[in-house]
Amino acid sequence: MRWVGHYYFPMLATEAIEVRTAPVVNGRDIARQFYSIGADRLRLLRIENRAGALVRNHYAWSTYAVGVPPEASTAAELSALLASPDPSDILSALVFLAGFHEPEPGAPPRRHSPALFRDAMADLRVRIQIDTLTRHELPWIREAAAAATTGERTFPGP
């Protein structure tokens, strides 16, 4: 970790923590991570590469996951985060839903079960919420929602 800043983030209308990092040898291109603290919990809001593009989190391998998973253990709880008026709740859920969840055979223990992801994506209400969020006024929410609707879900491996 090279730098940490804590400041008011106008786009989200909240205090945010920005962590700037440099990739290690053979590491992923993760340059910035954004977090918020609310309701006595830390929430991962976004991961970016050096170009400022969204980076999808890797929940499939415990050693590759960045930050913390959202405070949800059911599809209904993820749906409640997606419906929250707080952009931090929405982004926390979308980071999870846009991530890689299915490990390769023989993968080390995971930080979060892929069953929660499968249950959430099988829930019509969650899929409709994600689709609606692709048109949200905040660019980070739109981008994260779009990432949650597309892409391969099996982590390609370390």
Side-chain angles (χ1 to χ4, degrees):
M1 180 171 28
R2 292 182 13 216
W3 181 88
V4 175
H6 179 256
Y7 52 90
Y8 183 76
F9 207 79
M11 179 175 70
L12 302 176
T14 190
E15 293 285 321
I17 300 166
E18 177 185 356
V19 178
R20 293 188 184 183
T21 59
V24 295
V25 175
N26 296 324
R28 295 185 296 149
D29 180 7
I30 296 177
R32 295 171 24 161
Q33 302 164 44
F34 296 89
Y35 298 87
S36 71
I37 299 175
D40 295 327
R41 61 191 155 134
L42 183 68
R43 292 173 288 187
L44 175 61
L45 307 178
R46 184 174 172 91
I47 306 167
E48 290 183 350
N49 64 19
R50 286 175 286 193
L54 177 77
V55 173
R56 292 169 57 196
N57 208 353
H58 295 289
Y59 296 97
W61 291 71
S62 61
T63 55
Y64 273 66
V66 173
V68 294
E71 289 289 321
S73 57
T74 67
E77 290 172 352
L78 278 170
S79 177
L81 290 174
L82 292 172
S84 172
D86 184 345
S88 295
D89 285 337
I90 297 168
L91 285 166
S92 172
L94 288 172
V95 167
F96 177 77
L97 292 167
F100 294 104
H101 294 273
E102 298 296 336
E104 295 176 339
R110 295 175 297 283
R111 292 174 67 179
H112 222 276
S113 168
L116 174 58
F117 170 76
R118 286 192 300 268
D119 290 349
M121 295 310 282
D123 187 315
L124 181 60
R125 175 185 51 204
V126 169
R127 291 196 323 269
I128 290 170
Q129 287 173 302
I130 292 169
D131 181 63
T132 301
L133 291 169
T134 63
R135 295 176 296 283
H136 196 276
E137 64 182 330
L138 296 177
W140 280 8
I141 291 178
R142 282 195 313 266
E143 188 176 8
T149 64
T150 62
E152 178 61 40
R153 296 303 181 171
T154 301
F155 179 41

